[in-house]
Amino acid sequence: MNKKDYYEVLGVSKTSTDEEIKRAFRKLAKQYHPDVNKEPGAEEKFKEIGEAYAVLSDPDKRRQYDQFGHAAFEGGANGFSGFNAEDIDLSSIFDDLFGSSFGFNFGSSGRRGRNNPTKGKDRLVRMNLTFEEAVFGCKKSLNIDLNETCLKCHGAGGFGEKTCNRCHGRGTIVSEQRSMFGIFQTETTCPECNGQGKTYSEICSKCRGTGHVRENKEILVSIPEGVDSGYQLRISGKGEAGLNGGPNGDIYIEFVVKKHDFFERQEADIYLEVPLTIVEASLGCKKEIPTLEKNVILEIKAGAMSGDKLKLKGKGIKIPNTSKKGDMYVILNVITPTKLDRKQKKLLEELGETGLDDELIFKNFRKNL
């Protein structure tokens, strides 16, 4: 079943600001909140709205969605995955917008218990590469500070676990509240156990009850051939530690590639400007030029003009995760002499008196006059 466009779900355009998206979500969420709207399908509509907002309110997810659509979150497409609509904590989204007093209770299909295993947060980092490192691939070390599971308490945060007396293990307390919509049953985080549903007779001294410690990690990254600025590489399971035994998040590395001194890159193709003298352009010549792998001899036919483009098939950059390569294009640039000695001027004047068509002789450099 095809999913609806997230922008259409919220009734906003692709150029909408973060504030416009938030306002649209706020309006629709109040309209379709199950405690307000008892019509069939309201709860599913509310979840659909929450899913759309979870993506469009996150800059990284929104950028991926704009580029790849729903495929960005399916099966690791284009190096990005890990999003699951079922993992959205709609209550946390609602709390961010309206405060915890506007709680709701969907039972098993709504708020996820804080004791459930939860995947750790993803991290996005940027890595600088030289032109050669990006083209040919390489291995580089990444140093990053991450939350790791505390080994002393194994992530529990303390010792002597017992069920919270106030919320009886639920992690939330339920109360009734009056609002403009009437009387609502609201859920708020239990202040006694901070939503964990349990307390400890002794708090872990190493992590101070958080279950995590901050550590610097060195990760060896294998960078594939052909990456470019903006390309993201996903390193699965190396992100922030999960909660309650949940899996680690992922690390996304976004590359920033330094420009080359004389090669210009356009996606998988590269361009090289080759200067020619008037004589070389008029009579033709053979020029030794560099490519990404080695120098080659390029044959240039007589009568070459500035701007002529010669194609070297398959001499470009490898497309990541494929066996295909781009092409190399040589752009000819005929150099017009600016200083001529007496002998050179005389030779050109004699050449002009031979009756040869000026357009044929000098067409390759007149554009520069």
Side-chain angles (χ1 to χ4, degrees), residues 40-264:
E43 181 175 330
E44 289 303 316
K45 179 67 175 178
F46 183 76
K47 292 179 182 179
E48 183 181 62
I49 295 165
E51 178 181 336
Y53 180 74
V55 171
L56 299 185
S57 63
D58 185 297
D60 294 329
K61 288 186 175 69
R62 183 178 180 182
R63 183 172 63 252
Q64 292 290 327
Y65 178 74
D66 287 344
Q67 187 172 2
F68 303 110
H70 293 291
F73 313 114
E74 298 173 358
N78 299 287
F80 191 95
S81 67
F83 174 81
N84 188 336
E86 294 299 320
D87 291 332
I88 298 174
D89 185 355
L90 293 179
S91 63
S92 65
I93 295 174
F94 228 55
D95 288 349
D96 288 342
L97 289 174
F98 307 109
S100 59
S101 63
F102 203 98
F104 58 93
N105 185 359
F106 285 164
S108 61
S109 63
R111 178 192 293 269
R112 286 178 169 264
R114 289 177 180 252
N115 291 324
N116 290 352
T118 304
K119 181 181 176 181
K121 292 182 178 180
D122 296 338
R123 289 287 301 276
L124 174 66
V125 296
R126 287 176 174 82
M127 179 180 287
N128 295 320
L129 298 177
T130 66
F131 184 86
E132 289 77 13
E133 287 173 334
V135 169
F136 298 111
C138 62
K139 292 183 182 293
K140 297 197 75 170
S141 292
L142 171 68
N143 284 286
I144 184 172
D145 291 330
L146 294 168
N147 283 330
E148 293 289 321
T149 301
C150 177
L151 297 180
K152 183 176 181 179
C153 64
H154 303 290
F159 308 94
E161 177 183 319
K162 55 185 178 180
T163 301
C164 176
N165 291 326
R166 183 165 183 179
C167 68
H168 305 291
R170 295 183 68 249
T172 58
I173 55 177
V174 181
S175 60
E176 288 189 352
Q177 182 173 336
R178 293 180 178 274
S179 75
M180 59 185 293
F181 298 107
I183 300 176
F184 298 98
Q185 188 180 70
T186 63
E187 274 188 324
T188 56
T189 301
C190 175
E192 187 72 23
C193 63
N194 293 320
Q196 296 300 314
K198 54 191 175 184
T199 57
Y200 299 95
S201 58
E202 179 186 352
I203 299 299
C204 177
S205 59
K206 185 174 183 180
C207 66
R208 299 181 180 181
T210 64
H212 297 120
V213 291
R214 200 71 170 172
E215 292 185 1
N216 181 267
K217 292 289 185 179
E218 183 177 6
I219 302 172
L220 185 62
V221 182
S222 295
I223 300 168
E225 297 178 58
V227 300
D228 199 0
S229 290
Y231 182 94
Q232 287 190 355
L233 178 67
R234 176 190 178 207
I235 305 178
S236 179
K238 295 295 184 180
E240 304 280 8
L243 298 175
N244 303 313
N248 284 20
D250 304 323
I251 293 177
Y252 294 93
I253 302 178
E254 185 173 293
F255 299 109
V256 179
V257 181
K258 184 179 179 181
K259 291 185 177 181
H260 197 271
D261 289 338
F262 47 87
F263 286 125
E264 181 180 338

Side-chain angles (χ1 to χ4, degrees), residues 306-327:
S306 282
D308 283 353
K309 183 190 295 185
L310 306 179
K311 178 179 178 180
L312 301 179
K313 189 172 179 59
K315 293 294 185 182
I317 299 170
K318 186 176 181 292
I319 301 174
N321 305 317
T322 72
S323 59
K324 298 179 180 180
K325 280 190 173 184
D327 302 316

Side-chain angles (χ1 to χ4, degrees), residues 267-318:
E267 297 181 347
D269 297 330
I270 58 171
Y271 292 77
L272 174 68
E273 184 178 287
V274 174
L276 298 178
T277 66
I278 293 176
V279 175
E280 289 174 327
S282 299
L283 302 179
C285 63
K286 292 183 178 181
K287 299 280 284 189
E288 184 177 7
I289 64 168
T291 68
L292 292 177
E293 297 178 352
K294 62 180 181 179
N295 288 1
V296 298
I297 302 299
L298 181 66
E299 184 173 351
I300 299 171
K301 295 180 179 180
M305 296 178 61
S306 282
D308 283 353
K309 183 190 295 185
L310 306 179
K311 178 179 178 180
L312 301 179
K313 189 172 179 59
K315 293 294 185 182
I317 299 170
K318 186 176 181 292

